[in-house]
Amino acid sequence: MNMSVLALQEYEFERQFNENEAIQWMQENWKKSFLFSALYAAFIFGGRHLMKQREKFELRRPLVLWSLSLAVFSIFGAVRTGGYMVYILMTKGLKQSVCDQSFYNGPVSKFWAYAFVLSKAPELGDTIFIILRKQKLIFLHWYHHITVLLYSWYSYKDMVAGGGWFMTMNYLVHAVMYSYYALRAAGFRVSRKFAMFITLTQITQMVVGCVVNYLVFSWMQQGQCPSHVQNIIWSSLMYLSYFVLFCQFFFEAYVHKTRKAAGKAE
């Protein structure tokens, strides 16, 4: 079976998916992402306040199921969108892979593009486990969840260029990340180097995101990339802020702690 058949062979549920209805729904309802974000923020501050005087919940089994479900979803999403993007890249080139809107309405990818943006709402549930288990909640965690939700819904409705790269990269990173979370929650001892690798892939994702934004802006001037300056500005600011925050997290979680441990050993 050749590459084009593998990349474009649809399952029945992918074939029957009506992307026009999905895009129309998002155009009419994307602002609801602000409501979800507000409720999410209220839960964070309200939940932490309520948990101050309470014992933490263990929630190990629900956390395993939650992380495993998101891992499986992300793996399937990464395989399906990754195959499609590689096919476009190999057959039509880099510019087409960045600028073509077929990711939103083409075979295979159209379902997974919509599933991706919708998934950003239930993914907010990650924070429920952190709060109920009384774990440390860092700014990067909730800031990342809110901004990805807002930007994904905002961008999908316009079918902006670069979306195929943004979504496929995120699926890939989440496939690894949630698999790691599921293993940890199940009690498996996972190497610290694996956690470092995940953070490095996240940092790489932000760099590639900025590069894709630059390409979209450059080719948009030639009338070949369907996007708008406002979207590119918001996306670039988002990726740059993630890059800084993930680099800071990497330094504090791995470099600083390693130096501290080495100092104590001396």
Side-chain angles (χ1 to χ4, degrees):
M1 192 175 288
N2 63 38
M3 182 180 173
S4 61
V5 174
L6 280 171
L8 301 177
Q9 187 176 26
E10 294 175 283
Y11 292 110
E12 189 60 31
F13 71 91
E14 293 171 333
R15 184 180 296 109
Q16 292 185 0
F17 177 70
N18 189 325
E19 75 278 9
N20 294 320
E21 287 183 4
I23 293 167
Q24 183 181 346
W25 186 90
M26 193 60 73
Q27 288 171 344
E28 295 170 356
N29 296 279
W30 78 273
K31 290 183 180 177
K32 288 180 179 176
S33 60
F34 286 99
L35 174 61
F36 293 139
S37 298
L39 292 172
Y40 173 67
F43 171 80
I44 288 173
F45 294 105
R48 292 177 79 181
H49 177 73
L50 289 172
M51 287 302 296
K52 272 184 182 179
Q53 307 302 325
R54 289 172 170 77
E55 288 291 319
K56 67 177 182 180
F57 293 89
E58 188 61 32
L59 300 176
R60 185 171 292 275
R61 287 184 180 177
L63 182 56
V64 171
L65 290 172
W66 174 261
S67 300
L68 187 60
S69 299
L70 288 173
V72 171
F73 167 73
S74 299
I75 290 167
F76 273 102
V79 169
R80 299 303 281 161
T81 60
Y84 184 81
M85 288 301 291
V86 169
Y87 168 73
I88 298 296
L89 184 64
M90 299 297 289
T91 58
K92 299 182 179 179
L94 177 63
K95 183 180 286 189
Q96 189 78 355
S97 74
V98 172
C99 297
D100 194 4
Q101 289 179 304
S102 66
F103 189 84
Y104 297 94
N105 52 27
V108 178
S109 60
K110 62 182 183 180
F111 170 84
W112 294 100
Y114 192 54
F116 175 88
V117 297
L118 288 186
S119 71
K120 297 307 157 190
E123 274 182 13
L124 300 177
D126 288 351
T127 317
I128 294 175
F129 288 98
I130 291 175
I131 290 174
L132 295 182
R133 300 175 80 210
K134 298 183 78 169
Q135 295 178 317
K136 184 180 179 182
L137 179 63
I138 60 174
F139 170 76
L140 171 58
H141 175 91
W142 60 266
Y143 166 74
H144 181 261
H145 270 304
I146 288 176
T147 48
V148 169
L149 169 63
L150 294 174
Y151 179 74
S152 297
W153 286 39
Y154 165 67
S155 295
Y156 180 83
K157 67 181 178 63
D158 296 327
M159 300 170 63
V160 295
W165 280 97
F166 297 152
M167 295 186 210
T168 302
M169 286 192 301
N170 196 263
Y171 268 133
L172 283 167
V173 172
H174 278 203
V176 179
M177 184 184 77
Y178 281 115
S179 296
Y180 169 75
Y181 289 161
L183 289 170
R184 284 286 302 273
F188 289 96
R189 294 189 66 180
V190 187
S191 172
R192 177 183 171 85
K193 290 180 180 179
F194 191 39
M196 291 176 68
F197 170 75
I198 292 171
T199 307
L200 285 172
T201 60
Q202 290 168 320
I203 292 171
T204 304
Q205 178 190 354
M206 307 318 159
V207 174
V208 176
C210 289
V211 171
V212 170
N213 275 326
Y214 171 76
L215 294 175
V216 170
F217 180 76
S218 298
W219 290 328
M220 189 176 70
Q221 309 307 307
Q222 304 169 16
Q224 295 175 300
C225 261
S227 188
H228 44 89
V229 174
Q230 188 180 31
N231 185 285
I232 296 171
I233 290 172
W234 284 119
S235 180
S236 298
L237 288 173
M238 184 180 73
Y239 273 116
L240 284 169
S241 66
Y242 293 164
F243 175 77
V244 171
L245 290 169
F246 274 108
C247 284
Q248 182 183 28
F249 174 79
F250 184 87
F251 179 81
E252 291 178 356
Y254 307 116
V255 179
H256 182 66
K257 281 187 178 179
T258 303
R259 287 179 181 172
K260 208 171 182 181
K264 285 182 180 179
E266 291 172 2

